[in-house]
C-alpha cells in the first residue's frame, strides 16, 4: 500500500506579461484595464489555485488579441523568469472534468484479461459507474482522441517500457487494455516469458505479436538499488538505498523506443527509515540524510543514466508526476477511507499543494533541456487530485480481509489512468513520434 508523503507548496509558474503595440488613443483605456485586472488578480490570489490564476491571465491575453488582431501571438508573451521556458500552446495538465455520456471513447471493460483483480471495482462490489463518465477537458484545447491502431502502427517493431511502482503498473495495465481493441486476436498478446501477470513483482513483457511490439513493466519503486547495508552497520539498519546506483534492471531498458518512469510513493519515512531502510552514497551509509534529499539525489542518478545510456535521438522519455492519494479521516493504517466520494471534487480549497516530489522531478527534467526535447514531464497531478472518486476504496478483490485498509492509492480500471495514457499519447504525437 502506497502512503502519501507530507507535501510542500509548489513554486509558482512564471507570471505572463502582455506586450503588443498600442497607439495614444488607446493608451489610457488599456492602462486602466490592465490596472483593474491586476487589482482583481491580486485580490483573488489568496483564494484561487495558481493554475487558474495563470490561465485567467492567459484567457485575458487571448481576449486582447481579438481586440488587437494585428499582433503576433508568438511575440506577445514573455516570462519574468528567464530560467523557466514558456508553456506550450496547449498545456494538457490544466483544465476541468466534464460529464460526458459518450466517454470513454475507447472500448475496454473490466473483463480485459490484463486488469489486476484488485482494480476491477464493479466486479468487486462497486455499484456506481458514474466515475467513468467524467472526461478531462484541458483549458484552451482538446486532447487528441486515443487511436489504438495508430499507436500500435507507430510502435511496430518497438518497445514501450514502464518503470516504477504499483501505480505505474496501474497505468501499464490501462495502456494494455486500451490497445487490445485494435488487435484482431487476443491470443496473439502474451507474456513473452510465460509469467502470470497478476501479483508479479519483477518484470513483465507483453508481446503484441501482430506488431512485433512489447509493452513492458518493471517494478522498481525507488529506481535505484536497495541492497544489504555496508559491513559493521548499526543493527537498526535493515537495508541500504543506494541513491547513486541505478537498479540493475536498468540494463534492460536500454534500446526502448518509449520509456515512462514514475517514482515518489515509496519516498517517505514510512517506506524507508521507519522500516530500517537508510540511504547510502559513495559506499557510505548516511543515517541522517533527509528522505526528500535522498530522492533528489536519486533523480540526479537517473538523469546521468538517461544521458549516458539512451540514444535520445531515438528514445522518447517520460517521467510521470505524482499520483495523489485520497485518504479521508486518517492515513491508510488509521482507518482512512475514500468510499463516500461519487464524483470529482468541486471545492478547489480542498485540493492539496503540489507535492514536493514534483518539484524535484520537474527541476531535473529542466536540467536536461539542453540534451533533447524528447525527455518530458508528464504532469497528471493536478487533474488527478480532483478524482477522489476513482479509487477501489473498500471494493477490494475477493479474499481480501474485511479488516484490510481501503485502497485510496490505486485506481479502478477502466478509470483515471486511461486519461494519463491519453495525455501520454497526445504528448507523443506533439513530438512527432515516428510520424
Amino acid at each position: 500500500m502506497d502512503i502519501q508523503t507530507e507535501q510542500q507548496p509548489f513554486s509558482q509558474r512564471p507570471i505572463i506579461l502582455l506586450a503588443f503595440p498600442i497607439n495614444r488613443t488607446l493608451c489610457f483605456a488599456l492602462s486602466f484595464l490592465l490596472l483593474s485586472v491586476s487589482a482583481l488578480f491580486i485580490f483573488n490570489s489568496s483564494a484561487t489555485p495558481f493554475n487558474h490564476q495563470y490561465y485567467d491571465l492567459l484567457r485575458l491575453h487571448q481576449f486582447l488579441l481579438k481586440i488587437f488582431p494585428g499582433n503576433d501571438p508568438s511575440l506577445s508573451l514573455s516570462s519574468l523568469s528567464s530560467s523557466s521556458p514558456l508553456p506550450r500552446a496547449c498545456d494538457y495538465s490544466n483544465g476541468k472534468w466534464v460529464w460526458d455520456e459518450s466517454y470513454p471513447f475507447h472500448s475496454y471493460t473490466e473483463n480485459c484479461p490484463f486488469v489486476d483483480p484488485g482494480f476491477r471495482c464493479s466486479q468487486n462490489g462497486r455499484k456506481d459507474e458514474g466515475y467513468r463518465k467524467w472526461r478531462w477537458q484541458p483549458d484552451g484545447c482538446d486532447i487528441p482522441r486515443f487511436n489504438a491502431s495508430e499507436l500500435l502502427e507507430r510502435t511496430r517493431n518497438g518497445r514501450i517500457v514502464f518503470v516504477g511502482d504499483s501505480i505505474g503498473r496501474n497505468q501499464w495495465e490501462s495502456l494494455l487494455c486500451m490497445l487490445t481493441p485494435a488487435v484482431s486476436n487476443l491470443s496473439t498478446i502474451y507474456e513473452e516469458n510465460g509469467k502470470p501477470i497478476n501479483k508479479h513483482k519483477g518484470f513483465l513483457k507483453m508481446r503484441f505479436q501482430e506488431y512485433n511490439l512489447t509493452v513492458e513493466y518493471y517494478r522498481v519503486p525507488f529506481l535505484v538499488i536497495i541492497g544489504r547495508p555496508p559491513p559493521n552497520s548499526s543493527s537498526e539498519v535493515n537495508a541500504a538505498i543506494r541513491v547513486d546506483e541505478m537498479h540493475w534492471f536498468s540494463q534492460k531498458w536500454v534500446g526502448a523506443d518509449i520509456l515512462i518512469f514514475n517514482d515518489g510513493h515509496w519516498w517517505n519515512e514510512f517506506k524507508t527509515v521507519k522500516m530500517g531502510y537508510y540511504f547510502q552514497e559513495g559506499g557510505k551509509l548516511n543515517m541522517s540524510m533527509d528522505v526528500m534529499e535522498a530522492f533528489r539525489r536519486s533523480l540526479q542518478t537517473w538523469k546521468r543514466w538517461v544521458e549516458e545510456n539512451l540514444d535520445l535521438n531515438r528514445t522518447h522519455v517520460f517521467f510521470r508526476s505524482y499520483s495523489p492519494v485520497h485518504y479521508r479521516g486518517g492515513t491508510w493504517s488509521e482507518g482512512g477511507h475514500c468510499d463516500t466520494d461519487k464524483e470529482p471534487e468541486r471545492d478547489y480549497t480542498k485540493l492539496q499543494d503540489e507535492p514536493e516530489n514534483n518539484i524535484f522531478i520537474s527541476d531535473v527534467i529542466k536540467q536536461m533541456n539542453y540534451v533533447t526535447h524528447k525527455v518530458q514531464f508528464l504532469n497528471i497531478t493536478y487533474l488527478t487530485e480532483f478524482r477522489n472518486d476513482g479509487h477501489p476504496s473498500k471494493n477490494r478483490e475477493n479474499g481480501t480481509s474485511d479488516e484490510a485498509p481501503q485502497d485510496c492509492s490505486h485506481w479502478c480500471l477502466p478509470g483515471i489512468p486511461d486519461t494519463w495514457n491519453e495525455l501520454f499519447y497526445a504528448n507523443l504525437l506533439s513530438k512527432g513520434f515516428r510520424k
Side-chain angles (χ1 to χ4, degrees):
M1 182 71 65
D2 291 320
I3 303 171
Q4 187 174 27
T5 58
E6 183 177 353
Q7 300 167 358
Q8 301 294 330
F10 186 53
S11 58
Q12 295 185 341
R13 300 189 182 190
I15 297 174
I16 300 304
L17 298 177
L18 306 174
F20 39 80
I22 58 176
N23 56 46
R24 290 184 177 181
T25 61
L26 295 174
C27 181
F28 290 107
L30 182 59
S31 298
F32 177 77
L33 175 62
L34 290 178
L35 287 172
S36 299
V37 170
S38 299
L40 182 62
F41 173 73
I42 294 170
F43 178 78
N44 288 302
S45 63
S46 62
T48 305
F50 186 79
N51 286 335
H52 288 270
Q53 298 168 13
Y54 172 84
Y55 279 95
D56 285 343
L57 284 176
L58 187 55
R59 291 190 190 98
L60 171 64
H61 163 249
Q62 293 168 344
F63 168 75
L64 291 172
L65 285 180
K66 293 179 181 179
I67 300 177
F68 307 99
N71 295 282
D72 181 357
S74 67
L75 299 177
S76 59
L77 296 178
S78 60
S79 172
L80 286 179
S81 172
S82 60
S83 63
S84 299
L86 290 173
R88 294 171 301 169
C90 180
D91 183 352
Y92 297 116
S93 66
N94 287 277
K96 61 183 178 181
W97 290 98
V98 297
W99 180 267
D100 190 338
E101 287 286 354
S102 65
Y103 191 77
F105 305 130
H106 52 77
S107 54
Y108 85 87
T109 69
E110 289 185 355
N111 293 323
C112 173
F114 310 119
V115 176
D116 190 283
F119 307 150
R120 301 182 183 188
C121 298
S122 294
Q123 294 181 19
N124 294 334
R126 181 163 183 165
K127 303 301 181 184
D128 67 296
E129 295 187 357
Y131 66 94
R132 300 178 183 175
K133 293 298 181 181
W134 293 93
R135 174 176 56 82
W136 180 247
Q137 178 59 57
D139 290 330
C141 65
D142 295 316
I143 303 173
R145 183 167 296 195
F146 185 85
N147 188 322
S149 297
E150 181 180 24
L151 182 55
L152 285 168
E153 194 59 52
R154 286 186 184 230
T155 53
R156 182 183 289 274
N157 302 316
R159 297 172 60 204
I160 302 174
V161 174
F162 287 81
V163 178
D165 55 33
S166 57
I167 313 297
R169 178 185 174 118
N170 227 174
Q171 186 180 2
W172 172 74
E173 292 182 9
S174 164
L175 184 63
L176 289 175
C177 292
M178 292 173 73
L179 292 174
T180 53
V183 177
S184 59
N185 185 348
L186 279 181
S187 68
T188 63
I189 307 174
Y190 55 88
E191 207 290 316
E192 195 169 75
N193 299 303
K195 300 175 183 177
I197 71 168
N198 290 332
K199 303 302 181 184
H200 190 83
K201 292 188 176 182
F203 66 91
L204 297 161
K205 299 178 67 174
M206 302 302 298
R207 177 165 293 279
F208 287 70
Q209 187 174 8
E210 293 181 28
Y211 294 87
N212 191 32
L213 164 72
T214 57
V215 183
E216 309 168 26
Y217 164 71
Y218 293 82
R219 186 180 183 274
V220 189
F222 290 101
L223 298 186
V224 293
I225 292 176
I226 304 175
R228 295 178 178 177
N232 302 318
S233 297
S234 168
S235 59
E236 64 183 290
V237 180
N238 294 322
I241 301 174
R242 303 176 189 172
V243 297
D244 56 350
E245 296 183 52
M246 283 291 284
H247 195 280
W248 43 75
F249 278 166
S250 59
Q251 61 186 320
K252 298 179 180 291
W253 313 333
V254 177
D257 298 271
I258 301 169
L259 271 163
I260 306 170
F261 293 90
N262 86 281
D263 197 15
H265 277 267
W266 286 56
W267 289 92
N268 57 70
E269 290 189 352
F270 296 96
K271 293 282 189 177
T272 57
V273 295
K274 290 190 176 181
M275 293 178 58
Y277 289 18
Y278 291 88
F279 307 110
Q280 179 178 329
E281 187 176 36
K284 296 181 180 180
L285 201 66
N286 185 342
M287 296 182 65
S288 63
M289 185 182 295
D290 176 75
V291 175
M292 283 293 97
E293 174 60 19
F295 178 63
R296 186 192 68 80
R297 296 189 187 197
S298 75
L299 290 175
Q300 290 298 319
T301 301
W302 171 83
K303 172 180 174 288
R304 288 193 299 271
W305 179 86
V306 169
E307 294 173 346
E308 294 172 3
N309 292 275
L310 299 183
D311 178 1
L312 292 174
N313 292 315
R314 170 187 174 184
T315 301
H316 286 249
V317 180
F318 294 86
F319 207 123
R320 178 176 58 70
S321 66
Y322 187 84
S323 169
V325 299
H326 292 102
Y327 286 99
R328 310 300 192 203
T331 65
W332 70 274
S333 61
E334 299 171 339
H337 62 86
C338 55
D339 59 307
T340 59
D341 299 297
K342 304 302 180 185
E343 61 181 31
E345 180 61 67
R346 297 178 183 274
D347 186 350
Y348 289 96
T349 65
K350 293 183 178 180
L351 300 184
Q352 299 187 28
D353 293 329
E354 190 82 11
E356 191 175 8
N357 311 67
N358 284 0
I359 300 174
F360 294 130
I361 297 170
S362 177
D363 284 350
V364 78
I365 291 176
K366 287 178 182 177
Q367 294 169 22
M368 302 172 75
N369 284 345
Y370 71 93
V371 179
T372 178
H373 67 286
K374 293 181 180 178
V375 181
Q376 300 181 65
F377 181 48
L378 185 61
N379 194 350
I380 56 86
T381 304
Y382 178 66
L383 66 93
T384 307
E385 178 63 46
F386 288 94
R387 298 310 307 271
N388 43 2
D389 60 322
H391 297 286
S393 64
K394 65 181 180 181
N395 306 117
R396 307 290 296 271
E397 63 187 284
N398 290 336
T400 302
S401 169
D402 293 337
E403 304 300 320
Q406 290 195 16
D407 185 351
C408 303
S409 298
H410 300 94
W411 302 94
C412 300
L413 293 180
I416 313 306
D418 302 338
T419 298
W420 304 348
N421 284 323
E422 289 171 356
L423 267 60
F424 150 67
Y425 176 71
N427 281 284
L428 199 63
L429 293 182
S430 73
K431 297 300 182 181
F433 175 75
R434 291 190 174 181
K435 187 174 181 181

